[in-house]
Amino acid sequence: MKPFGRAEMAAKLAADIPEGWYVNLGIGLPTLVADYVPAEREVVFHSENGILGMGPAPPEDAVDTWLVNAGKENVTLRAGASLVHHADSFMMIRGGHLDLCVLGAYEVAANGDIANWTTSLNDAVPAVGGAMDLAAGAKRLWVMMEHTTKDGRPRLVERCAYPLTALAAVKRIYTNLAVIDVSARGFEVRQVADGVSFEALQERTGAKLHRPA
Amino acid sequence: MKPFGRAEMAAKLAADIPEGWYVNLGIGLPTLVADYVPAEREVVFHSENGILGMGPAPPEDAVDTWLVNAGKENVTLRAGASLVHHADSFMMIRGGHLDLCVLGAYEVAANGDIANWTTSLNDAVPAVGGAMDLAAGAKRLWVMMEHTTKDGRPRLVERCAYPLTALAAVKRIYTNLAVIDVSARGFEVRQVADGVSFEALQERTGAKLHRPA
Amino acid sequence: MIDKRVASMAEALAGIADGSTVLIGGFGAVGQPNALIDGLIEQGAKDLVIVANNAGMDAKIGLPRLMAVGRARKLVCSFPRGSTVFDELYKAGRIELEVVPQGTLAERIRAAGAGIPAFYTPTGVGTKLAEGKEQRHVGGRDCILEHALKADVALVEAWRADRWGNLTYKGSGRNFNPVMAAAATLTVVQSQHIDELGALDPEAVVTPGVFVSRVLHVPYGDPPPGNRRAEVARPEAKR
Amino acid sequence: MIDKRVASMAEALAGIADGSTVLIGGFGAVGQPNALIDGLIEQGAKDLVIVANNAGMDAKIGLPRLMAVGRARKLVCSFPRGSTVFDELYKAGRIELEVVPQGTLAERIRAAGAGIPAFYTPTGVGTKLAEGKEQRHVGGRDCILEHALKADVALVEAWRADRWGNLTYKGSGRNFNPVMAAAATLTVVQSQHIDELGALDPEAVVTPGVFVSRVLHVPYGDPPPGNRRAEVARPEAKR
């Protein structure tokens, strides 16, 4: 079994983003996706804090500290970028103007429910950020996450155990073991990592997997 | 009896606007008020179509046709002006940020109800513009109008006969015969035109007048 | 390469279907996308619901012409007065009218772009325009419930545009244009100028390209002079 | 002459009462009015409800210090994680927390400034954050009712300001600042630069002066560098 590495997951997802899409990448793992979209394929990246047309991280000797992304990392602007305030920025998200949002998650259910903001109802400090707005508002939501927890429990489940972020929102999941669509039938396997059999994948998944129709 | 002329009404109202107020002047008669506020007393005029800090009409040989006020007349910008879109402009109105709005009216009732947008339920073409937003949203609403109709019927009434623009909104009325506050008691006479007795004014008014407390 | 520029009016308006709801920017003669409106007449879509602040003045161009040739089923508008074309159609019962307070109109359009399906507002409470609307005491005031006004098409006039569809406006030409640009499935722009990508200052872009579908270069020129000021004796010392 | 400039921090923050609801701009370290927050500590108002997107990072300045000295009764926030000060206070039960989705937070504040007492949104439906909220099917989706978040005070950081209170911002320092500026009874600005009236381009003003009460000149400098990018093997050909 040769699972996809984080870079490979990001590259795979990036390859599925067509030119012209407006895309919000969640903090953490999803942020890496931008590095794998070649500059000549124009994809416009959005950041919740009011940037449309975000470019890559700046070289260390040319950092503009007035520009941060949602993860508070310094970024750059591409030609064609625009800066707006928070209500206008979330207008893009909540008004359904973004083609794609990519988020990390703790769990995704076979009906598309996503849990990604807090691991327990008694969390010391719950924090949601823009996740609920993005999950409810973007035209499509893709998730990037490890297929199982560190101790081997499935993250793709029949029904989320953790507090939900949004109902029936996820359309596709990129894990270290597979790429899986969420369709009306439930989880549909699009691709598996080298040496991962359908049966081995099912074993590591908490809900029924379907072969593509 | 020597009624106030239109210029006199406008000057009288203008004298009551303190420096620093943000003011929207309705189309028609109220527009004249701006001419009577001296430039050294800084009052910031707002126009519904997205201008804050409107200046006087331009000289005829220097008209910028890209700048119109709510009455579609060409205007100028003062130093300190800003231009916004319609939703942001009405945010100023509806969010209670304007100190004063001055409107014309067909009728004002003793409880502050105003009717100024259509004279009949079967009007050929009803048109409301921003009147309802202004009447409901500004911190205070003053009205400028003739005291009676052309055929002598009172415009200050117990209860408006024409369709309402807003409930209990008017705080003061400037007519050709008097300046009248709308208080909890009803109409309170602040000032009368030369040669107009309280009794003569009462005769031309459709609701009880009070002498100031 | 993202390139929203189109080379012809036909391309700009392709696919607009009969029965569409069409937002049209402009306030008075300023910021009105008249070339696009004339193009829409050419294009032929009919049975349209038109949303615009005014019903237009000059019968020979733009919105009044669209109505005169019978393409508009209904007008949603705050101030339809002053248009002889609309006046006659309305009196003849040949066009429907929905009068909406101007701020409520702007906010309903903004809500559509912002994914807010409905909101409460005190504007209009107790008036004829509140009839049939849910009323509720909220935030300490009586309010009515107003719904987002989402559209199939927005026709917008901009001052500058780039190939990503970023827009700026000029003077009071901004008005409804940026609000409408965000509220339609298809947003078509006529722009006075087309700039290279990167030429517009990111801080100065008013409509980010995400809201824009197509941009047509129409060096339309300046709007005609506005109305004349009301005649009145002016004081010696003007401000 | 309208002159909203004040000469001292004491003047800038005069009159802020115990128990006030205070909006604080900024996202991460960018656009945070840290000088005003430090001034507020000095000023002494307590029992405050603080509304801010983050709970702050560096314990020695700004919001974390305000909380550390016990002035905040409650934090309304989308992402309070990452602040050790808040963490400890919260675990010790010494501060209340209202978690609000970031977009709903921005929209609730905008609604307060726009005179919209309440609105429906699909964000949060079916989640723990919808508990106790009215749910309704509207505009084709399940939504919850959210209320305007009006405040007594807004603390704002701007890049340029004039004596009328017109403001511009720099880079991503815009964030919540313009939205909050419009939603408070008293809006206090710390501005990096003060310009002559008329120096700001009317088309480029982001916050019109009508929303601003007081402007203090604080040449605060640039924000500190942001977080480091997550470590990962990068591809040869970066974009």
Side-chain angles (χ1 to χ4, degrees):
Chain A
M1 201 161 88
K2 190 162 168 288
F4 301 132
R6 301 175 72 195
E8 219 172 339
M9 287 164 69
K12 199 169 288 295
L13 195 153
D16 290 344
I17 303 177
E19 180 158 80
W21 274 19
Y22 293 86
V23 177
N24 183 295
L25 301 174
I27 59 178
L29 195 51
T31 305
L32 302 177
V33 169
D35 290 338
Y36 297 86
V37 176
E40 63 274 15
R41 193 201 320 151
E42 290 189 347
V43 170
V44 183
F45 290 104
H46 172 263
S47 182
E48 290 94 298
N49 56 322
I51 306 177
L52 189 68
M54 209 171 19
E60 272 189 41
D61 58 348
V63 173
D64 177 355
T65 59
W66 284 95
L67 287 173
V68 294
N69 64 11
K72 285 92 179 179
E73 300 159 348
N74 290 124
V75 293
T76 53
L77 299 181
R78 286 187 70 154
S82 51
L83 294 160
V84 298
H85 65 53
H86 242 83
D88 280 352
S89 180
F90 273 87
M91 187 168 165
M92 297 180 198
I93 295 170
R94 295 157 60 107
H97 304 283
L98 299 183
D99 297 288
L100 172 64
C101 171
V102 184
L103 291 176
Y106 300 126
E107 293 175 325
V108 175
N111 67 350
D113 287 359
I114 173 174
N116 89 333
W117 69 286
T118 185
T119 50
S120 144
L121 289 162
N122 300 309
D123 238 24
V125 180
V128 68
M132 287 186 183
D133 309 286
L134 285 160
K139 282 182 196 155
R140 47 182 82 70
L141 174 63
W142 293 352
V143 162
M144 264 178 101
M145 64 179 186
E146 300 293 311
H147 203 87
T148 60
T149 62
K150 285 204 180 77
D151 52 356
R153 281 179 300 116
R155 290 178 182 275
L156 285 81
V157 294
E158 196 53 55
R159 195 192 174 92
C160 295
Y162 289 134
L164 293 178
T165 304
L167 305 178
V170 179
K171 295 278 173 282
R172 190 180 291 171
I173 309 157
Y174 294 76
T175 79
N176 55 325
L177 300 183
V179 180
I180 291 170
D181 277 344
V182 183
S183 76
R185 293 197 296 160
F187 293 132
E188 261 180 44
V189 181
R190 284 173 71 91
Q191 195 192 350
V192 291
D194 282 351
V196 177
S197 69
F198 187 87
E199 291 68 26
L201 192 69
Q202 179 65 75
E203 217 165 83
R204 287 164 177 77
T205 305
K208 186 172 167 51
L209 294 177
H210 300 269
R211 295 175 202 272
Chain B
M1 201 161 85
K2 189 161 167 284
F4 302 130
R6 300 175 71 194
E8 221 172 336
M9 287 166 69
K12 198 168 288 295
L13 195 153
D16 290 343
I17 303 177
E19 179 158 83
W21 273 18
Y22 294 86
V23 177
N24 184 295
L25 301 174
I27 58 179
L29 194 50
T31 305
L32 302 178
V33 170
D35 290 337
Y36 297 86
V37 176
E40 62 276 15
R41 191 199 323 151
E42 290 189 347
V43 170
V44 184
F45 291 104
H46 173 263
S47 181
E48 293 94 296
N49 56 324
I51 305 177
L52 188 69
M54 211 171 19
E60 271 190 41
D61 57 348
V63 173
D64 176 356
T65 58
W66 284 94
L67 287 173
V68 295
N69 64 11
K72 284 93 180 177
E73 300 158 349
N74 290 123
V75 292
T76 53
L77 298 182
R78 284 187 71 154
S82 51
L83 294 160
V84 298
H85 64 54
H86 241 84
D88 280 351
S89 180
F90 274 87
M91 187 169 166
M92 297 180 198
I93 295 170
R94 295 158 58 108
H97 304 282
L98 299 184
D99 297 288
L100 172 66
C101 170
V102 184
L103 292 176
Y106 300 125
E107 291 174 325
V108 175
N111 67 350
D113 287 359
I114 172 174
N116 89 333
W117 69 285
T118 185
T119 49
S120 146
L121 290 161
N122 301 310
D123 238 24
V125 179
V128 68
M132 287 187 183
D133 309 285
L134 286 160
K139 282 182 195 153
R140 48 182 81 69
L141 173 63
W142 293 351
V143 162
M144 264 179 102
M145 62 180 188
E146 299 293 311
H147 204 88
T148 59
T149 62
K150 286 206 180 75
D151 50 357
R153 282 179 299 115
R155 290 177 183 275
L156 284 80
V157 296
E158 197 54 55
R159 196 194 174 92
C160 294
Y162 289 135
L164 293 179
T165 304
L167 305 178
V170 179
K171 296 277 173 281
R172 190 180 291 170
I173 309 155
Y174 294 77
T175 79
N176 54 325
L177 300 184
V179 181
I180 292 170
D181 277 343
V182 183
S183 76
R185 295 197 296 163
F187 293 132
E188 262 179 44
V189 181
R190 284 173 70 92
Q191 194 192 352
V192 291
D194 282 350
V196 177
S197 69
F198 187 88
E199 291 65 30
L201 192 68
Q202 179 65 75
E203 216 165 84
R204 289 163 175 79
T205 305
K208 183 171 168 51
L209 295 178
H210 301 267
R211 294 178 204 269
Chain C
M1 186 169 110
I2 299 172
D3 194 350
K4 300 182 177 179
R5 292 171 299 180
V6 293
S8 69
M9 185 60 82
E11 218 180 316
L13 301 177
I16 297 177
D18 292 352
S20 294
T21 295
V22 182
L23 307 172
I24 301 183
F27 185 92
V30 186
Q32 279 189 159
N34 282 328
L36 294 179
I37 303 171
D38 285 345
L40 186 58
I41 295 169
E42 187 86 3
Q43 193 263 6
K46 56 184 193 293
D47 199 29
L48 303 173
V49 176
I50 301 294
V51 183
N53 189 65
N54 305 102
M57 304 285 176
D58 186 340
K60 291 184 292 298
I61 57 160
L63 180 52
R65 211 184 123 218
L66 183 79
M67 294 188 291
V69 297
R71 300 292 167 71
R73 173 172 71 74
K74 179 179 175 180
L75 181 66
V76 180
C77 185
S78 93
F79 204 83
R81 214 169 279 159
S83 162
T84 48
V85 169
F86 176 78
D87 228 55
E88 284 168 21
L89 288 169
Y90 182 72
K91 284 177 186 161
R94 287 173 52 206
I95 192 165
E96 291 169 60
L97 173 64
E98 179 183 348
V99 177
V100 182
Q102 197 172 142
T104 294
L105 184 63
E107 194 67 27
R108 285 179 60 194
I109 298 168
R110 192 248 169 211
I116 304 290
F119 59 89
Y120 289 97
T121 177
T123 294
V125 167
T127 76
K128 190 182 153 193
L129 299 187
E131 281 169 19
K133 290 183 177 160
E134 176 187 320
Q135 187 168 326
R136 178 172 183 166
H137 195 78
V138 54
R141 291 186 75 171
D142 288 329
C143 291
I144 52 176
L145 184 67
E146 294 282 1
H147 290 265
L149 207 169
K150 192 146 179 56
D152 302 296
V153 181
L155 305 183
V156 162
E157 194 199 37
W159 182 246
R160 298 196 166 278
D162 64 25
R163 65 175 170 83
W164 277 18
N166 293 306
L167 309 178
T168 66
Y169 304 88
K170 186 175 170 65
S172 66
R174 196 177 291 203
N175 58 67
F176 277 93
N177 283 302
V179 190
M180 289 177 167
T185 308
L186 176 75
T187 294
V188 185
V189 178
Q190 67 171 74
S191 184
Q192 298 262 355
H193 302 282
I194 304 282
D195 284 316
E196 284 303 304
L197 194 71
L200 298 176
D201 177 358
E203 313 250 13
V205 169
V206 177
T207 295
V210 64
F211 299 124
V212 170
S213 316
R214 300 171 189 163
V215 175
L216 183 67
H217 187 200
V218 180
Y220 187 72
D222 295 327
N227 293 345
R228 295 292 295 276
R229 283 290 295 272
E231 296 297 337
V232 74
R234 295 286 185 82
E236 281 301 296
K238 288 181 194 167
R239 66 193 179 91
Chain D
M1 186 169 111
I2 299 173
D3 195 350
K4 300 183 178 180
R5 293 171 299 180
V6 292
S8 69
M9 184 61 80
E11 218 180 315
L13 301 177
I16 298 178
D18 293 351
S20 293
T21 295
V22 182
L23 306 172
I24 301 183
F27 186 91
V30 185
Q32 279 188 159
N34 282 326
L36 293 179
I37 302 171
D38 286 344
L40 187 57
I41 295 170
E42 188 85 4
Q43 193 263 5
K46 54 184 194 297
D47 200 28
L48 303 172
V49 176
I50 302 294
V51 183
N53 189 64
N54 304 103
M57 304 287 178
D58 187 340
K60 290 182 293 297
I61 57 160
L63 180 51
R65 214 184 119 217
L66 183 78
M67 294 188 290
V69 298
R71 299 294 167 69
R73 174 172 71 74
K74 180 179 175 181
L75 181 67
V76 180
C77 185
S78 93
F79 203 81
R81 212 170 278 160
S83 161
T84 48
V85 170
F86 176 77
D87 228 57
E88 283 167 23
L89 288 169
Y90 183 70
K91 283 176 188 163
R94 289 174 52 206
I95 193 165
E96 291 170 61
L97 173 65
E98 179 181 347
V99 177
V100 182
Q102 196 171 144
T104 295
L105 183 63
E107 193 69 26
R108 285 179 59 195
I109 298 168
R110 191 249 169 211
I116 305 292
F119 59 88
Y120 289 98
T121 176
T123 294
V125 166
T127 76
K128 191 183 153 193
L129 299 187
E131 282 169 18
K133 291 182 175 159
E134 175 187 320
Q135 187 169 326
R136 178 171 182 166
H137 195 78
V138 53
R141 290 185 76 172
D142 288 329
C143 290
I144 51 177
L145 184 66
E146 295 281 0
H147 291 264
L149 207 170
K150 192 144 178 58
D152 302 296
V153 180
L155 304 184
V156 161
E157 193 199 38
W159 182 247
R160 297 195 167 279
D162 63 26
R163 67 175 169 83
W164 277 19
N166 293 307
L167 309 179
T168 67
Y169 304 89
K170 184 173 169 66
S172 65
R174 195 177 293 205
N175 60 67
F176 277 92
N177 282 303
V179 189
M180 290 177 166
T185 308
L186 176 74
T187 294
V188 185
V189 178
Q190 67 171 77
S191 183
Q192 297 264 353
H193 302 282
I194 304 283
D195 284 315
E196 284 302 304
L197 194 72
L200 298 175
D201 177 359
E203 312 250 12
V205 170
V206 176
T207 295
V210 65
F211 299 123
V212 170
S213 315
R214 301 172 188 163
V215 176
L216 182 67
H217 186 201
V218 181
Y220 186 76
D222 295 328
N227 293 345
R228 296 290 298 273
R229 282 291 295 273
E231 296 296 336
V232 72
R234 296 286 187 79
E236 282 301 297
K238 290 181 193 166
R239 65 192 179 89

